[in-house]
Amino acid sequence: IMNRKIDKKHFKKIFESIKQNNTLVHLALAFEDLEEEDMKEFAQCIIENKSIRKLGVYFDYMGDEVGAKNFMEIFKKNERITSLKINYP
């Protein structure tokens, strides 16, 4: 889905789908106005996913320090990711 605004309800559905997907190896997502709780849910879905190897994320905002810490949990708990690209202003 490119250049479309997605509401919070749909983010939750997308995150749940990512958790359960076992064939996706490259994921690139762009977020606008992601709040701390959203970042926590995003991090959890990437941690639980068993197939993603390459991750590209583009944020305009990821919350404060708590949001950043939630994001960093991905790399403490998911050793399968071998490539990361982050774009953050």
Side-chain angles (χ1 to χ4, degrees), residues 1-28:
I1 303 172
M2 298 205 39
N3 299 323
R4 302 246 177 176
K5 188 107 170 145
I6 299 173
D7 64 29
K8 300 241 182 233
K9 177 177 73 173
H10 290 102
F11 265 135
K12 291 181 185 303
K13 289 180 180 180
I14 290 169
F15 293 162
E16 191 60 39
S17 295
I18 292 169
K19 282 183 193 179
Q20 298 173 7
N21 187 295
N22 62 4
T23 58
L24 185 66
V25 293
H26 182 198
L27 177 65

Side-chain angles (χ1 to χ4, degrees), residues 15 31 34-48 55 57 59 61-78 81 84 86:
F15 293 162
F31 298 107
L34 204 62
E35 296 175 7
E36 288 176 15
E37 188 60 33
D38 303 323
M39 181 60 70
K40 184 176 182 178
E41 289 183 40
F42 171 67
Q44 191 60 41
C45 82
I46 300 299
I47 289 166
E48 291 183 29
L55 178 62
V57 288
F59 303 106
Y61 177 73
M62 68 166 66
D64 65 9
E65 185 178 335
V66 174
K69 284 181 180 179
N70 284 325
F71 182 72
M72 295 312 297
E73 282 296 307
I74 292 171
F75 308 103
K76 291 180 183 177
K77 297 180 179 177
N78 183 332
I81 295 177
L84 172 66
I86 300 173

